[in-house]
Structures are given as C-alpha cells and as structure tokens.
Amino acid sequence: MQRLLVTGGAGFIGSNFVHYVLENTEHHVTVLDKLTYAGNLESLRGLPQERFTFVQGDIADPAVVDGLVAASDIVVHYAAESHNDNSLHDPRPFLDTNIIGTYTLIEAARKYSKRFHHISTDEVYGDLELDDPERFNEQTPYNPSSPYSSTKAGSDLLVRAWVRSFGLQATISNCSNNYGPYQHVEKFIPRQITNVIDGIRPKLYGKGENVRDWIHANDHSSAVLAIIAKGKIGETYLIGADGEKNNKEVVELILKHMGQAPDAYDHVVDRPGHDLRYAIDSTKLRDELGWEPQFSNFDEGIEATIAWYRDNEDWWRPQKAVTEAKYKEQGQ
C-alpha cells in the first residue's frame, strides 16, 4: 500500500481518479482541496474511510502543503483553475493556483524527496487546423492561447525545471478533454445534458466546428496510474483515446440519446480565441507503458454519462441556476 496525496481530488477529474484508485488498488488516498465552486465533497461520498482522508486547504499555502507532502509517498497534482471562460473574465486566480500552487507543491516534494506526478492539458499546445492531419505529441512546441492554458504551460515548465535543476522525481501527463461523472455543469457536455433534462435547448458556440479529442475520466485515471507505476522520471506522456469529435457532433449525439431532434439547439456567440482542434497522439504511452483505453466507443460513453446525470440530479442541481445565470450574462 502506498500513500497518495491527491490535490484537487474533489474536482471532476481528481474525484474520478480517487474513486478509481480506491476501487482498483490497496492505496490510501488523502485529498487536499480548497473547495472552490468546482470542488464538491459530494463527489467523494461513500468512499472507504479507513483508506481515505479529506483535508480542506489551499495548495498555495506552504503551512498546509508541507506536512501533507511529508506524510505521503506520491503526490498526484490535479488541482487547477481550468475553465477557459473564467480565465478570460478574471485571469488572476489561474496564476495563484496553477503557478504559485504548483511551485508550492514541487518545493515540498523536493524538500521531502517525494515522487510527484503533474496533471496537465493538451491545451498548452495551442490548436491545430481543422483539416490538419497532425496530432499533438511530446515534441509539439507549446503555444497556449488563453490565460488558463498559458498558466498550465507555465506549471509544466516549472516541473520540468525542478526535475533538471533539483532532481525532482517527477513525471508529467497532458490529457485531452475528459468526460464522465462528477463534471461541473459549466462544462460543455454536462451543460448540454442538464439543459435537455431541464427542457432548455443546448447551446453551441459559433458553428460548432471546434474539435476536441474526448476521453472518459476512467481511462485518464488508469493512464495516470500506469505512469506513476512505470513512467520514466522526467518524461512527459500524452493521454488520449482517439476520440476526436466536433462540438456539433457531440450536441447532436446527446440529443439523439435523450430523444430530441438533432437540430434542437441554439447557436450562441463564440468564445474569444476559441481553439479550433485538439488531437492527441498517445503512441508513447501505449508503446512504452502498455496502456490502452477501455472506453473506446464514445457513443456508449456518452450514453452512460447521460444516465449518470439523470440518476444524480441531487449532485448537480445546486450548481445549475448560478451557472446558467452567469452564461446568460455573458450572452452564452
């Protein structure tokens, strides 16, 4: 049994990782989460208390971080401000969490000689043209286009520098867009699902041509565990499941599974600087570490995700009205 400290473990991807670890290993997990609007203790309900501990605190606070890192074997750093729209409205929290928070964690990991894994995003690479056959790989230059992605790029570079300068025992993963349970209703897929449940027409930015490379959160979790167990220190691994779909296709698929007409959605003003296409080449992860995704059928994954939101209205309902009011104020 190892002791994992998971930052941001009450958020979407982090909470899915915590569930996955506790269901598939014998590890003990401590979650450190600030419980901002994106963190939800209900996402951690029902976990085995003898193997799970929750601590509310800020990753940018050394007084909180130091003792938790010292008591752990591995730090898995999910915590981040991650919503592009929010970063365009107010970039400062993204600097505080994604840059200063990461710095605080890697300094503690260095001090106590702890294994560190840093969770990042494919958005650090910018975007690709819609008709470009290329995909992002570990050698793709960074070209972030928003305050969010630029602060994530900065955090990646901090980790790389600490590996080289101080011998930090760290790995990095950059993942494509996740979907699945426990995702905040401000995000694209759960927003559309919950809108349809509420009898509201889904909202599609611009023409809906923007392409994302979708991966189920459980597949992300299994990839992270593989990297922690077998990844080479100092290396970056891209995580993707060959799930390229444009936003229009995703909305139409949701509508189909929810018994609606395929054109029962509204176009809204596009996001400034909206990246065109993300696509991940995960060959290195698959070849070197033997990882394969289990949710290879996006249609089935969406159907299962819709079912989760139908069955867990008590989880997402408290977030919904505030989120939609904010989008309405922004004309989206």
Side-chain angles (χ1 to χ4, degrees):
M1 184 189 76
Q2 292 182 306
R3 298 165 298 170
L4 272 61
L5 173 62
V6 179
T7 70
F12 163 45
I13 308 177
S15 64
N16 274 278
F17 178 72
V18 171
H19 281 274
Y20 191 89
V21 168
L22 293 174
E23 290 168 8
N24 292 278
T25 77
E26 298 300 317
H27 300 330
H28 182 280
V29 174
T30 296
V31 166
L32 171 60
D33 199 294
K34 192 177 179 179
L35 290 183
T36 63
Y37 79 95
N40 190 339
L41 273 179
E42 289 299 302
S43 301
L44 302 171
R45 181 172 48 184
L47 296 176
Q49 293 306 300
E50 69 278 8
R51 293 171 53 215
F52 170 71
T53 304
F54 177 80
V55 177
Q56 184 173 355
D58 188 346
I59 61 169
D61 183 352
V64 173
V65 165
D66 208 64
L68 293 174
V69 171
S72 68
D73 298 308
I74 302 167
V75 180
V76 190
H77 178 30
Y78 279 89
E81 290 283 349
S82 65
H83 196 327
N84 267 308
D85 289 332
N86 290 347
S87 79
L88 294 167
H89 177 68
D90 182 12
R92 180 55 191 259
F94 293 75
L95 294 163
D96 294 336
T97 297
N98 299 351
I99 299 295
I100 301 302
T102 299
Y103 162 75
T104 304
L105 287 164
I106 57 178
E107 276 290 87
R110 173 167 78 104
K111 178 179 179 181
Y112 295 106
S113 301
K114 301 297 182 177
R115 175 76 167 87
F116 189 89
H117 182 69
H118 179 60
I119 306 294
S120 192
T121 171
D122 58 355
E123 296 189 42
V124 299
Y125 301 112
D127 60 351
L128 300 163
E129 295 296 330
L130 296 177
D131 58 354
D132 189 342
E134 294 299 315
R135 296 184 292 170
F136 300 137
N137 60 51
E138 286 79 5
Q139 284 71 49
T140 302
Y142 277 23
N143 187 29
S145 57
S146 72
Y148 160 55
S149 56
S150 63
T151 55
K152 286 302 291 183
S155 68
D156 292 6
L157 296 177
L158 284 174
V159 175
R160 290 185 187 180
W162 259 241
V163 170
R164 180 166 177 174
S165 297
F166 304 118
L168 182 70
Q169 298 294 292
T171 45
I172 298 172
S173 58
N174 297 81
C175 192
S176 56
N177 285 56
N178 282 230
Y179 72 99
Y182 304 113
Q183 189 171 24
H184 194 284
V185 294
E186 70 182 3
K187 297 291 188 174
F188 179 62
I189 286 177
R191 187 187 183 202
Q192 314 316 324
I193 293 170
T194 55
N195 273 351
V196 175
I197 290 173
D198 280 352
I200 302 169
R201 289 166 66 91
K203 305 295 190 292
L204 191 63
Y205 283 165
K207 296 179 181 179
E209 295 176 343
N210 306 73
V211 173
R212 299 295 178 259
D213 193 347
W214 294 99
I215 183 172
H216 194 279
N218 276 4
D219 283 334
H220 189 181
S221 297
S222 69
V224 170
L225 276 182
I227 296 167
I228 290 171
K230 298 181 285 187
K232 182 180 177 182
I233 296 302
E235 292 292 310
T236 293
Y237 298 88
L238 268 60
I239 305 173
D242 301 324
E244 285 189 63
K245 299 283 183 185
N246 70 39
N247 291 344
K248 181 173 179 290
E249 291 173 313
V250 175
V251 166
E252 291 175 351
L253 184 61
I254 290 170
L255 287 166
K256 182 190 82 169
H257 281 301
M258 300 185 77
Q260 304 290 314
D263 61 349
Y265 58 84
D266 297 324
H267 293 274
V268 295
V269 60
D270 205 354
R271 172 193 296 152
H274 198 177
D275 287 345
L276 291 176
R277 173 175 164 258
Y278 306 147
I280 287 282
D281 181 350
S282 58
T283 299
K284 177 180 176 180
L285 174 67
R286 300 182 193 222
D287 288 354
E288 293 187 10
L289 306 187
W291 174 83
E292 290 290 339
Q294 299 302 306
F295 287 83
S296 56
N297 188 314
F298 183 69
D299 193 291
E300 292 177 2
I302 283 291
E303 190 172 21
T305 301
I306 291 169
W308 189 89
Y309 280 91
R310 286 192 187 280
D311 293 342
N312 291 274
E313 185 169 336
D314 61 329
W315 181 88
W316 58 264
R317 176 60 62 190
Q319 313 163 1
K320 184 62 177 174
V322 173
T323 300
E324 289 305 314
K326 185 166 62 175
Y327 273 121
K328 184 176 181 181
E329 184 179 319
Q330 297 169 356
Q332 297 171 329

